[in-house]
């Protein structure tokens, strides 16, 4: 274990689905000596995709953590999923990583989901480098892939390597900084030889090297002066300046290779060590004081500072029970130590500490700042919680996850399944913050809500395999919302006289529509002594409870502000409960008078289809009420961007496959909510009232 924090790297492999992240990780583990046999996705023998479901479907579902040693450095690695239904896995991984390797595919370069993960990495300010994979594929074009980063991501991507050959003649790469060529002499060569730059590449190397030096010099004044004075810049100077530029997010270095054929993995690991930050290169973590929200506390990544860590993932393991993954930001954590969970204000005991290698574990006695470990024995900790030293509490920023957009009813097949299902679902919800479950009061059915069809399919399949619960899945339901279109004002009066103390609550609320995405707000305009302030809170909670189910079809209300404008009270009979009911009544009647409308989730869909199926794809989209945003020519295919209502997308994967003989691909993510057309709203409100 590298004691020195500057020799630690916490990195993740992030990318579009099918770009080859897991294959890259498998090769990294092989070359660092962590595994003795190379895992293969097609054979289902990968280390990182260790769930049986992942191996069958050939996709990554959960982010897996592992670590490796390279060049006397400790590299903690997280392999993340590419599929947008598992976006939470990427979100939580980026929150705790110091650097990322974005894997792009050599033929198509930046794809729609690459844009999503790139945006998430920008949100968390993660320095990253780019690995153009699959250089041996037919149609591979390194320079085009780099251009797509400029065009579609607006990022300053600068090659620090250029490929030698492409497609079947791809046999190595040239390091522009050191002017060294890595060559793989035979088809199945696992190791490279380092040679001088072959004559036929010398001109290209000087051209791209000068461009690289110019880009680095732009970020460093001292180098800039030397560059303009035509002074020779040393390799060390270039590497140091490039490292600073990468950490400041000014340059994203680009490398190339073919992970499946082991090419380019050694130089990639060297570049991770050379250019990606260690925990001490990134800004110290900041949190708020638990007793005073306005006070900011900083924790440095050192063992001297008090202990602080963030829970970023919870997994139920069949052998050891609940595993809680932690990123330790400061201090040390001993196994068996008591820690304070400042998010739910409870004390917990970290029983055993584990260093993770995907699904195998190695027990350790203590973990230090900058490490990523798993703890056993933390019963109440959930994703996003802060663990810290009881004497020095602080609260770190939690992780934001998107709300579920799709729900299905699940019913157990047998009575014995019924008892197990509740407990199993509770465990899965504990693991996955984008999964929610509840019981529908009227139908008595258990409802599962998640990010998409694939997400919910995988959950139901995991119930069967991991928890031995057979469940029948109902038809998917869309998470609609309700709002108002015009402002309205109504009074809510709750009076009950029944011998003895009665109930009296009276308030007037004005409700106004807000900008999309604003949520629900409450404020008061009452001045003077019209109403004692102690009744404001109950009125607000009455309004918020009522807003949980709207007046059209009982869906949650969004983008509405309620303003308390008037009210009256009774010295004896008024109570908090009476005002809560009055607030709820006022809101319901104002909502009914405010021209309420139903909103539906609108998905942004990106489709890449061969040219000849364009007409069929567009015809199908039109039948789904889609709004086409753009169409772009990409080689022999067309990329379509469109908005499509979620309710119209069920079984879309199957339809697209049959329309295009399985040659098109698509990805979808929630973009916004929009008003439902009247004829469909009538249909939905009818169903909503019946169910």
């Amino acid at each position: 274990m590298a004691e020195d924090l500057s020799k630690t790297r916490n990195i993740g492999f992030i990318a579009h689905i099918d770009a080859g992240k897991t294959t890259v990780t498998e090769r990294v583990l092989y070359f660092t000596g962590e595994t003795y046999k190379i895992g293969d996705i097609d054979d289902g023998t990968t280390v990182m995709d260790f769930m049986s479901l992942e191996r069958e479907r050939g996709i990554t579902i959960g982010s897996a953590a592992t670590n490796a040693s390279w060049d006397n450095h400790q590299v903690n690695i997280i392999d993340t999923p590419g599929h947008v239904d598992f976006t939470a896995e990427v979100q939580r991984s980026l929150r705790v990583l110091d650097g990322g390797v974005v894997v792009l595919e050599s033929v198509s370069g930046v794809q729609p989901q690459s844009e999503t993960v790139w945006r998430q990495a920008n949100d968390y300010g993660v320095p990253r480098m780019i690995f153009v994979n699959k250089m041996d594929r037919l149609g591979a074009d390194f320079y085009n892939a780099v251009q797509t980063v400029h065009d579609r991501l607006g990022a300053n991507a600068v090659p620090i390597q250029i490929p030698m050959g492409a497609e079947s003649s791809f046999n190595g790469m040239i390091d522009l900084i050191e002017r060294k060529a890595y060559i793989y002499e035979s088809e199945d060569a696992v190791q490279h030889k380092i040679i001088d730059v072959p004559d036929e590449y010398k001109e290209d190397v000087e051209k791209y090297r000068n461009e690289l030096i110019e880009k680095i010099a732009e970020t460093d004044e001292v180098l800039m002066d030397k560059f303009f004075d035509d002074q020779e810049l040393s390799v060390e100077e270039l590497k140091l300046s490039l490292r600073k530029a990468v950490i400041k997010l000014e340059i994203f270095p680009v490398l190339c290779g073919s992970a499946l054929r082991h090419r380019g993995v050694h130089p990639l690991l060297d570049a991770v060590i050379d250019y990606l930050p260690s925990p001490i290169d990134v800004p110290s973590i900041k949190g708020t004081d638990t007793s005073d929200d306005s006070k900011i506390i900083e924790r440095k990544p050192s063992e001297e500072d008090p202990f602080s860590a963030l829970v970023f993932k919870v997994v139920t393991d069949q052998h050891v029970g609940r595993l809680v993954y932690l990123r330790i930001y400061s201090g040390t954590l001993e196994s068996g130590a008591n820690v304070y969970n400042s998010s739910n204000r409870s004390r917990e005991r970290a029983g055993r500490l584990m260093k993770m290698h995907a699904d195998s574990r190695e027990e350790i006695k203590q973990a230090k700042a900058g490490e990523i470990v798993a703890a056993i024995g933390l019963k109440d900790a959930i994703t996003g919680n802060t663990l810290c030293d009881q004497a020095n509490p602080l609260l770190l920023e939690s992780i934001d996850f998107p709300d579920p957009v799709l729900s299905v009813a699940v019913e157990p097949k047998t009575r014995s399944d019924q008892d197990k299902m509740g407990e199993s679902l509770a465990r899965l919800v504990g693991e996955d913050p984008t999964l929610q479950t509840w019981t529908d009061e009227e139908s008595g059915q258990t409802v599962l809500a998640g990010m998409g069809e694939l997400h919910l399919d995988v959950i139901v399949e995991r119930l069967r395999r991991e928890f031995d619960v057979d469940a029948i899945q109902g038809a998917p339901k869309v998470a609609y919302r309700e709002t108002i279109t015009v402002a309205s004002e109504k009074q809510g009066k709750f009076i009950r006289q029944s011998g003895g103390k009665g109930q009296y609550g009276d308030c007037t609320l004005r409700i106004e529509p807000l900008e999309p995405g604003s949520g629900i707000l409450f404020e008061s305009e009452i001045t003077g002594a019209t109403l004692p302030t102690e009744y404001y809170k109950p009125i607000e909670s009455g309004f918020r409870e009522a807003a949980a189910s709207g007046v059209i079809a009982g869906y949650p209300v969004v983008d509405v502000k309620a303003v308390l404008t008037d009210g009256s009270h009774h010295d004896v009979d008024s109570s908090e409960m009476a005002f809560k009911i009055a607030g709820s009544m006022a809101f319901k009647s104002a909502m009914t008078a405010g021209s309420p409308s139903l909103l539906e989730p609108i998905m942004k869909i990106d489709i890449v289809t061969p040219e000849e199926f364009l007409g069929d794809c567009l015809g199908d989209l039109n039948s789904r009420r889609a709004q086409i945003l753009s169409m772009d020519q990409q080689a022999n295919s067309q990329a379509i961007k469109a908005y499509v209502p979620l309710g119209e997308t069920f079984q879309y994967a199957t339809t697209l496959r049959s329309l295009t003989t399985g040659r098109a691909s698509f990805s979808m993510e929630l973009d916004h909510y929009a008003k439902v057309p009247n004829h469909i709203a009538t249909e939905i409100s009818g169903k909503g009232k019946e169910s």
Side-chain angles (χ1 to χ4, degrees):
M1 162 66 210
E3 287 296 316
D4 180 359
L5 260 189
S6 66
K7 295 201 164 180
T8 299
R9 300 285 180 275
N10 292 313
I11 65 159
F13 289 102
I14 53 178
H16 178 85
I17 193 164
D18 259 359
K21 297 176 297 299
T22 301
T23 307
V24 174
T25 314
E26 293 297 325
R27 298 307 179 268
V28 165
L29 292 181
Y30 176 72
F31 287 125
T32 54
E34 293 300 324
T35 53
Y36 300 102
K37 180 175 175 297
I38 296 182
D40 191 298
I41 291 176
D42 296 334
D43 301 342
T45 55
T46 55
V47 176
M48 301 304 276
D49 284 353
F50 52 83
M51 282 161 64
S52 56
L53 261 175
E54 295 182 308
R55 291 184 166 175
E56 269 169 43
R57 294 183 181 229
I59 59 168
T60 303
I61 291 169
S63 49
T66 188
N67 59 76
S69 300
W70 184 257
D71 190 18
N72 204 15
H73 285 64
Q74 161 95 9
V75 185
N76 297 319
I77 300 166
I78 296 183
D79 174 32
T80 62
H83 200 287
V84 75
D85 276 19
F86 308 110
T87 179
E89 292 290 334
V90 183
Q91 201 90 334
R92 58 163 127 223
S93 304
L94 286 169
R95 173 72 173 79
V96 297
L97 292 172
D98 300 325
V101 176
V102 177
V103 184
L104 293 185
E105 206 254 356
S106 64
V107 183
S108 41
V110 172
Q111 289 173 285
Q113 269 165 279
S114 324
E115 295 179 36
T116 305
V117 292
W118 190 269
R119 197 171 58 241
Q120 287 172 319
N122 280 344
D123 290 345
Y124 287 114
V126 177
R128 63 219 95 125
M129 48 206 254
I130 296 162
F131 182 67
V132 177
N133 192 20
K134 305 190 182 182
M135 279 302 302
D136 53 342
R137 262 193 68 185
L138 199 62
D141 185 339
F142 174 74
Y143 302 103
N144 177 56
V146 175
Q147 193 56 44
T148 63
V149 178
H150 289 277
D151 297 346
R152 295 177 204 164
L153 303 175
N156 189 15
V158 184
I160 58 169
Q161 287 180 351
I162 58 169
M164 295 201 288
E167 302 182 353
S168 58
S169 65
F170 173 66
N171 65 348
M173 62 288 302
I174 299 168
D175 181 320
L176 294 175
I177 290 183
E178 300 196 6
R179 294 189 177 101
K180 276 194 303 203
Y182 294 82
I183 190 155
Y184 297 81
E185 291 186 312
S186 65
E187 184 60 32
D188 50 2
V190 172
Q191 299 293 347
H192 58 259
K193 272 182 72 175
I194 295 179
I195 59 169
D196 290 333
V197 176
D199 289 346
E200 70 262 35
Y201 288 106
K202 281 192 170 154
E203 201 178 309
D204 277 356
V205 167
E206 290 315 306
K207 174 186 160 200
Y208 287 108
R209 190 173 194 268
N210 282 334
E211 281 179 19
L212 168 63
I213 294 173
E214 203 171 319
K215 293 274 192 194
I216 299 174
E218 281 170 15
T219 66
D220 187 319
E221 283 184 19
V222 180
L223 281 197
M224 178 77 88
D225 295 340
K226 282 190 168 185
F227 178 67
F228 283 126
D229 293 345
D230 283 340
Q231 293 180 33
E232 183 63 32
L233 299 170
S234 74
V235 167
E236 273 59 47
E237 281 179 307
L238 287 174
K239 283 190 167 179
L240 199 63
S241 294
L242 178 55
R243 180 183 175 79
K244 285 181 189 159
V246 171
I247 292 170
K248 286 194 208 141
L249 306 184
E250 292 173 338
I251 290 181
F252 302 97
V254 190
L255 299 92
C256 61
S258 162
L260 192 62
R261 290 169 62 204
H262 332 298
R263 305 190 166 188
V265 178
H266 289 84
L268 173 65
L269 279 164
D270 291 338
V272 163
I273 305 293
D274 286 342
Y275 307 119
L276 287 182
S278 72
I280 52 179
D281 296 322
V282 291
S284 301
I285 193 83
K286 292 183 171 62
T288 52
D289 189 327
T290 48
S291 53
D292 176 4
D293 284 353
S294 59
K295 199 169 159 197
I296 301 293
I297 301 173
E298 188 174 329
R299 288 272 185 272
K300 293 192 173 61
S302 80
E303 292 166 39
E304 282 69 54
D305 268 31
F307 168 69
S308 67
L310 185 77
V311 175
F312 69 95
K313 186 175 167 81
V314 178
V315 178
T316 305
D317 186 287
Q318 288 165 329
H319 308 294
V320 294
R322 204 164 182 267
L323 272 175
V324 174
Y325 282 76
L326 307 172
R327 160 72 198 262
I328 299 177
Y329 285 105
S330 60
T332 53
L333 177 62
E334 308 277 340
S335 63
N338 287 323
V339 294
Y340 179 59
N341 184 334
S342 55
S343 306
N344 59 19
R345 306 194 172 225
S346 67
R347 290 187 61 156
E348 300 211 47
R349 184 170 174 275
R352 293 154 65 201
L353 296 179
M354 301 284 177
K355 184 166 277 190
M356 299 303 293
H357 294 279
D359 61 341
S360 60
R361 299 165 296 279
E362 172 196 336
E363 194 155 341
I364 53 173
K365 288 281 167 263
Q366 66 163 343
K368 300 178 179 169
E371 287 193 62
I372 290 177
V373 293
I376 298 169
L378 297 168
K379 293 189 174 55
D380 301 324
I382 57 167
T383 300
N385 280 182
T386 302
L387 300 180
C388 57
D389 177 25
Q390 175 120 23
N392 298 280
L394 88 160
L395 192 59
L396 300 174
E397 186 190 342
S398 190
I399 309 175
D400 284 336
F401 292 109
D403 288 333
V405 290
L406 196 64
S407 63
V408 291
V410 284
E411 286 181 1
K413 272 192 179 166
T414 64
R415 174 51 60 92
S416 70
D417 285 332
Q418 182 147 15
D419 304 335
K420 283 192 293 187
M421 188 163 92
E423 190 187 322
S424 309
L425 282 177
R427 281 185 177 185
L428 288 168
V429 169
E431 283 185 23
D432 185 345
T434 56
L435 185 68
Q436 292 176 7
T437 178
W438 65 88
T439 304
D440 187 303
E441 286 171 13
E442 286 168 3
S443 65
Q445 284 178 313
T446 301
V447 179
L448 261 186
M451 299 307 297
E453 280 184 285
L454 179 62
H455 186 199
L456 295 174
D457 278 353
V458 163
I459 294 295
V460 172
E461 191 61 27
R462 283 185 66 191
L463 275 177
R464 193 170 66 74
R465 292 189 188 193
E466 292 171 36
F467 301 97
D468 205 19
V469 175
D470 255 350
I472 305 162
Q473 200 172 329
K477 280 189 172 172
V478 176
Y480 292 101
R481 298 280 186 265
E482 297 186 21
T483 191
I484 52 163
T485 48
V486 296
S488 74
E489 190 166 3
K490 288 287 176 194
Q491 181 182 23
K493 210 168 192 177
F494 179 67
I495 304 174
R496 186 157 292 168
Q497 293 303 131
S498 55
K501 188 173 186 303
Q503 293 281 5
Y504 183 95
D506 166 30
C507 65
T508 303
L509 290 181
R510 181 177 77 246
I511 61 172
E512 305 165 359
L514 291 175
E515 286 293 306
S518 311
I520 56 172
L521 302 175
F522 178 86
E523 56 187 52
S524 166
E525 270 180 11
I526 296 182
T527 51
T530 319
L531 194 64
T533 50
E534 71 211 58
Y535 295 130
Y536 292 5
K537 205 85 189 128
I539 293 170
E540 180 177 355
S541 69
F543 148 65
R544 287 187 182 275
E545 269 180 36
S549 63
V551 296
I552 304 176
Y555 290 105
V557 176
V558 293
D559 308 332
V560 166
K561 176 164 86 169
V563 185
L564 177 61
T565 56
D566 199 4
S568 65
H569 71 293
H570 187 284
D571 290 341
V572 180
D573 290 352
S574 280
S575 68
E576 291 196 355
M577 182 47 82
F579 273 99
K580 189 171 173 182
I581 296 169
S584 168
M585 290 164 67
F587 171 70
K588 288 281 187 198
S589 29
M591 175 100 190
T592 311
S595 297
S597 77
L598 206 55
L599 302 174
E600 62 183 341
I602 303 291
M603 310 301 279
K604 184 167 181 246
I605 190 167
D606 291 279
I607 304 158
V608 179
T609 172
E611 194 92 49
E612 65 258 41
F613 303 115
L614 179 65
D616 295 341
C617 287
L618 291 176
D620 177 64
L621 282 173
N622 287 333
S623 72
R624 295 172 186 270
R625 299 194 282 126
Q627 175 194 348
I628 310 292
L629 301 173
S630 68
M631 287 188 287
D632 289 319
Q633 180 88 24
Q634 284 182 6
N636 308 341
S637 51
Q638 282 278 354
I640 308 167
K641 285 186 191 294
Y643 286 145
V644 60
L646 176 66
E648 304 284 351
T649 63
F650 300 137
Q651 300 297 316
Y652 185 66
T654 318
T655 309
L656 187 66
R657 219 170 282 144
S658 58
L659 281 176
T660 63
T661 63
R663 288 168 61 201
S665 64
F666 79 101
S667 70
M668 239 182 353
E669 61 180 325
L670 177 66
D671 192 86
H672 62 282
Y673 278 84
K675 191 171 183 289
V676 177
N678 291 342
H679 66 285
I680 292 172
T682 314
E683 213 177 288
I684 296 167
S685 58
K687 281 186 195 159
K689 292 262 166 53
E690 284 159 28
S691 64

